[in-house]
């Protein structure tokens, strides 16, 4: 999972949990507030009834309390309200037909004997939960009666639930909007945060590929900006070290070449007999020395080629030529070597291919190197095929480099000849295909499976430099134990 995805998911999760937590907290607070307001409303209703009852008893104005009872009947949640004297006689009631009767309910009996506010709960005959509140009515400090109100707990609970549902819908509506904004914000923030990281990762990858001129542009003045500066400084230091290494390698290889050339001349003189007669044993030893000197000379040539490619000084002399002629030259040269190992070397290139504009000598060097590698890694009775065909793609411009190979493939330049060298050898693991074109990289685990010289790991790096130096691209497709195919492209001659 990518860092951007992880950051987005984590941020979205935190936003979701925060909003959910706040929503639940607000609902709990709102519920408590509604219950508190409900209790306050019940108490206020009770106090109002007590006050009216006292005024009615003091002024002996029964009309006052009776009118108030009518209003009480309209209050939502009130099942009944009544005023009873100390003899349990109903002086006023929301049900007028009960006025004047004696109230002998257990709740009233407890209220008459109580000296302060009494709260009772019971289940009515209609199976409704009733909350009964009773309070003494005092006139000049003397208890003259009891005011009672019965509230329907079911109705009150429904009122709370309804209000809470409306509040919950509002909270969840706002929470949903905030959540969407939060997720969008988290996604944008993740993109902003990971964008410089991606640039640094891409830059570090290019530096790791040896492109030490890479500059990472991160303008943020934070830890990421400091890290980008450190990576740029590191790249500069690596470039300086690489230039020192290249200078050293160039100097050493040049110094080696002169004595090796001198050794080669003297070997030839020995073999021609110009320095005296030599025995068969001496000739055999001199042959071994000459072959090893030649091998060392090829290694030095490879080092010089790599140095020239990295400095951009490799001589490329493009001209118009026929790919078939260059491939046939390599075919005739390598055919004997392939036959000695029992390998079938096949050339499959049509004669009507358009000409390419590239360096014929370097192209032959590319094909020779690829065929030589194929012979080395292909067992007896194997098969190697050299092919070429026209490819027309709307893709990258000539000379551009792809950043990475996707599924072991790359985009090709528009209007090009694609040359391939395929074999039925031991193949290359997928995790190593992208590495084999780097310097001193060889397929792991195959050195002990091949005979003869093991190579230095410079051949494919040189091949890549020569292909790209001519405006082409190179890549490989392979499957272990089933063989490999190396592709490279050359631009078609413009007419």
């Amino acid at each position: 999972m990518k860092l951007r995805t992880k950051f987005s998911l984590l941020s979205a999760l935190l936003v979701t949990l925060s909003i959910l937590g706040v929503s639940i907290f607000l609902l709990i607070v709102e519920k408590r507030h509604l219950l508190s307001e409900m209790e306050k409303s019940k108490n206020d209703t009770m106090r109002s009834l007590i006050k009216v009852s006292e005024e009615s008893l003091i002024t002996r104005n029964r009309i006052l309390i009776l009118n108030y009872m009518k209003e009480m009947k309209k209050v939502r949640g009130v099942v009944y309200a009544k005023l009873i004297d100390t003899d349990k006689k109903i002086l006023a009631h929301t049900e007028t037909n009960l006025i004047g009767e004696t109230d002998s309910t257990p709740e009233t009996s407890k209220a008459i004997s109580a000296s302060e506010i009494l709260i009772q709960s019971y289940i009515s005959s209609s199976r409704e939960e009733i909350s009964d509140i009773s309070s003494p009515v005092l006139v000049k400090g003397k208890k003259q009666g009891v005011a009672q109100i019965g509230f329907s707990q079911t109705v009150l609970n429904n009122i709370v639930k309804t209000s809470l549902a409306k509040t919950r819908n509002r909270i969840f509506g706002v929470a949903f909007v905030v959540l969407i904004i939060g997720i969008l914000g988290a996604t944008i923030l993740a993109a902003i945060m990971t964008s410089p990281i991606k640039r640094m990762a891409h830059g570090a990858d290019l530096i790791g590929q040896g492109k030490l001129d890479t500059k990472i542009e991160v303008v943020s003045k934070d830890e990421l900006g400091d890290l980008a500066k450190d990576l740029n400084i590191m790249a500069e230091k690596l470039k300086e070290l690489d230039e020192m290494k290249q200078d050293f390698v160039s100097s050493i290889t040049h110094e080696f070449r002169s004595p090796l050339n001198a050794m080669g001349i003297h070997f030839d003189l020995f073999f021609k007999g110009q320095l005296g007669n030599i025995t068969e044993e001496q000739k055999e030893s001199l042959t071994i020395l000459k072959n090893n000197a030649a091998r060392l000379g090829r290694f030095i040539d490879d080092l010089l080629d790599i140095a020239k490619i990295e400095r951009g000084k490799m001589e490329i002399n493009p001209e118009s030529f026929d790919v078939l002629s260059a491939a046939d030259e390599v075919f005739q040269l390598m055919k004997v070597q392939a036959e000695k190992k029992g390998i079938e070397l096949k050339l499959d290139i049509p004669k009507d291919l358009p000409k390419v504009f590239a360096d014929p000598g370097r192209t032959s060097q590319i094909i020779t190197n690829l065929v030589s590698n194929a012979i080395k890694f292909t067992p007896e009775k194997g098969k190697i095929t050299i092919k070429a065909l026209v490819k027309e793609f709307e893709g990258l411009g000539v000379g551009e480099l792809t950043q990475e190979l996707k599924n072991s493939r790359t985009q090709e330049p528009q209007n090009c000849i694609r040359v391939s060298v395929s074999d039925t050898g031991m193949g290359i693991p997928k995790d190593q295909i992208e590495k084999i074109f780097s310097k001193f990289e060889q397929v792991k685990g195959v050195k002990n499976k091949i005979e003869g010289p093991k190579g230095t790991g410079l051949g494919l790096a040189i091949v890549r430099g020569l292909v790209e130096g001519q405006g082409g691209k190179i890549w490989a497709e392979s499957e272990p134990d089933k063989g490999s195919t190396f592709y490279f492209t050359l631009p078609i001659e413009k007419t």
Side-chain angles (χ1 to χ4, degrees):
M1 188 181 291
K2 293 185 178 180
L3 180 61
R4 177 176 178 178
T5 305
K6 289 182 179 178
F7 193 85
S8 299
L9 290 176
L10 181 60
S11 300
L13 179 61
L14 290 175
V15 170
T16 303
L17 291 177
S18 299
I19 293 175
L20 184 61
V22 171
S23 299
I24 293 174
F25 174 76
L26 290 176
L27 283 174
I28 293 173
V29 171
E30 181 66 14
K31 184 176 181 179
R32 290 181 178 179
H33 174 71
L34 289 173
L35 292 175
S36 176
E37 288 295 313
M38 189 64 67
E39 291 299 321
K40 182 181 178 183
S41 177
K42 287 161 65 176
N43 292 332
D44 290 343
T45 303
M46 190 66 211
R47 280 193 293 268
S48 298
L49 177 59
I50 293 171
K51 185 177 180 181
V52 173
S53 297
E54 289 176 349
E55 291 180 0
S56 176
L57 292 175
I58 292 172
T59 60
R60 299 180 183 277
N61 185 357
R62 293 186 63 188
I63 300 299
L64 178 63
I65 188 64
L66 292 175
N67 289 335
Y68 190 74
M69 288 297 178
K70 291 180 182 180
E71 297 299 323
M72 286 289 294
K73 197 173 183 178
K74 300 176 183 178
V75 177
R76 189 178 178 187
V78 174
V79 179
Y80 59 82
K82 52 188 173 181
L83 175 61
I84 306 167
D85 62 15
T86 53
D87 295 328
K88 300 183 182 182
K89 185 178 181 181
I90 299 176
L91 302 178
H93 200 291
T94 50
E95 299 295 332
T96 55
N97 60 319
L98 298 178
I99 297 174
E101 295 185 4
T102 300
D103 192 341
S104 58
T105 60
E107 292 75 21
T108 301
S109 300
K110 292 180 181 179
I112 293 297
S113 59
S115 58
E116 55 186 18
I117 294 177
L118 177 64
I119 300 176
Q120 306 173 80
S121 296
Y122 65 94
I123 303 299
S124 68
S125 58
S126 60
R127 309 304 298 173
E128 185 177 16
E129 184 180 0
I130 304 297
S131 176
D132 183 273
I133 302 177
S134 305
S135 176
V137 178
L138 304 177
V139 177
K140 296 181 180 181
K142 186 178 179 180
K143 185 177 182 181
Q144 296 294 321
V146 174
Q148 273 186 286
I149 302 178
F151 294 95
S152 172
Q153 198 62 45
T154 303
V155 174
L156 296 181
N157 290 339
N158 288 335
I159 293 174
V160 172
K161 287 181 180 179
T162 303
S163 300
L164 199 60
K166 293 180 180 179
T167 303
R168 182 175 60 248
N169 292 337
R170 288 194 294 268
I171 291 175
F172 284 168
V174 174
F176 179 76
V177 174
V178 174
L179 179 62
I180 297 299
I181 295 173
I183 292 175
L184 291 176
T187 304
I188 295 171
L189 180 61
I192 294 174
M193 291 293 292
T194 57
S195 178
I197 296 176
K198 289 174 65 177
R199 288 200 296 272
M200 286 189 289
H202 177 62
D205 182 56
L206 294 177
I207 293 171
Q209 295 176 18
K211 300 174 183 178
L212 303 179
D213 290 328
T214 302
K215 293 293 182 182
I216 302 173
E217 296 182 2
V218 178
V219 297
S220 58
K221 297 180 180 179
D222 52 17
E223 289 82 356
L224 292 177
D226 294 337
L227 179 58
K229 292 179 182 178
D230 291 339
L231 287 174
N232 287 331
I233 294 172
M234 179 191 72
E236 292 176 1
K237 296 294 183 183
L238 289 174
K239 184 179 180 182
E240 293 176 4
L241 291 174
D242 190 62
E243 290 175 350
M244 292 172 61
K245 178 203 68 177
Q246 291 177 11
D247 292 338
F248 175 76
V249 171
S250 297
S251 299
I252 292 297
T253 50
H254 277 294
E255 291 297 326
F256 277 163
R257 174 170 282 184
S258 296
L260 281 173
N261 289 334
M263 290 171 63
I265 293 172
H266 282 78
F267 284 134
D268 290 337
L269 293 175
F270 272 116
F271 287 123
K272 291 177 181 179
Q274 297 180 10
L275 297 179
N277 295 326
I278 57 175
T279 65
E280 289 298 323
E281 291 182 356
Q282 290 173 334
K283 186 176 181 180
E284 185 177 345
S285 296
L286 287 172
T287 301
I288 294 173
L289 290 173
K290 182 180 180 181
N291 290 337
N292 280 279
R295 182 183 174 191
L296 182 58
R298 289 192 296 271
F299 177 63
I300 290 172
D301 289 340
D302 287 345
L303 287 175
L304 286 173
D305 284 343
I306 282 291
K308 289 178 181 178
I309 289 171
E310 291 179 339
R311 289 175 175 268
K313 295 183 179 180
M314 174 61 75
E315 294 182 3
I316 303 289
N317 300 309
E319 60 181 73
S320 176
F321 71 96
D322 189 356
V323 172
L324 177 58
S325 61
D328 185 62
E329 180 183 340
V330 177
F331 174 76
Q332 299 299 332
L333 177 67
M334 305 298 294
K335 185 177 181 180
V336 176
Q337 183 180 347
E339 289 176 347
K340 284 183 179 180
K341 197 176 176 183
I343 298 172
E344 179 188 355
L345 181 61
K346 183 179 179 182
L347 182 65
D348 183 14
I349 298 179
K351 295 181 179 180
D352 58 349
L353 282 180
K355 292 184 177 181
V356 297
F357 189 73
D359 189 321
R362 296 302 185 188
T363 302
S364 296
Q365 183 180 353
I366 293 166
I367 300 174
T368 300
N369 196 305
L370 293 177
V371 173
S372 178
N373 275 351
I375 293 174
K376 184 187 301 183
F377 294 103
T378 301
E380 187 178 353
K381 297 182 180 180
K383 184 178 179 180
I384 299 172
T385 305
I386 306 171
K387 291 184 177 181
L389 54 96
V390 178
K391 297 295 293 183
E392 296 184 359
F393 276 81
E394 293 184 1
L396 301 179
V398 175
E400 292 184 46
L401 302 178
T402 52
Q403 297 178 359
E404 60 182 0
L405 301 174
K406 183 178 181 182
N407 297 327
S408 303
R409 297 177 183 272
T410 185
Q411 289 180 286
E412 300 174 66
Q414 184 177 3
N415 299 332
C416 64
I417 298 293
R418 188 178 74 182
V419 183
S420 66
V421 176
S422 58
D423 61 61
T424 57
M426 55 190 68
I428 306 168
K430 288 186 179 180
D431 60 342
Q432 297 185 46
I433 288 180
E434 296 181 18
K435 301 178 181 178
I436 57 175
F437 294 102
S438 300
K439 294 182 296 183
F440 305 108
E441 286 286 348
Q442 293 180 305
V443 179
K444 297 178 181 179
V446 300
K447 285 188 176 182
N448 298 329
K449 298 180 181 180
I450 60 174
E451 300 177 357
K454 308 300 182 182
T456 59
L458 292 175
L460 289 177
I462 294 172
V463 166
R464 183 182 67 174
L466 294 177
V467 171
E468 293 174 351
Q470 298 184 94
K473 302 197 178 297
I474 185 168
W475 69 99
E477 295 179 352
S478 183
E479 188 173 346
D481 300 323
K482 291 188 177 181
S484 306
T485 301
F486 285 82
Y487 300 92
F488 71 92
T489 60
L490 295 172
I492 294 177
E493 177 188 21
K494 294 182 179 179
T495 57

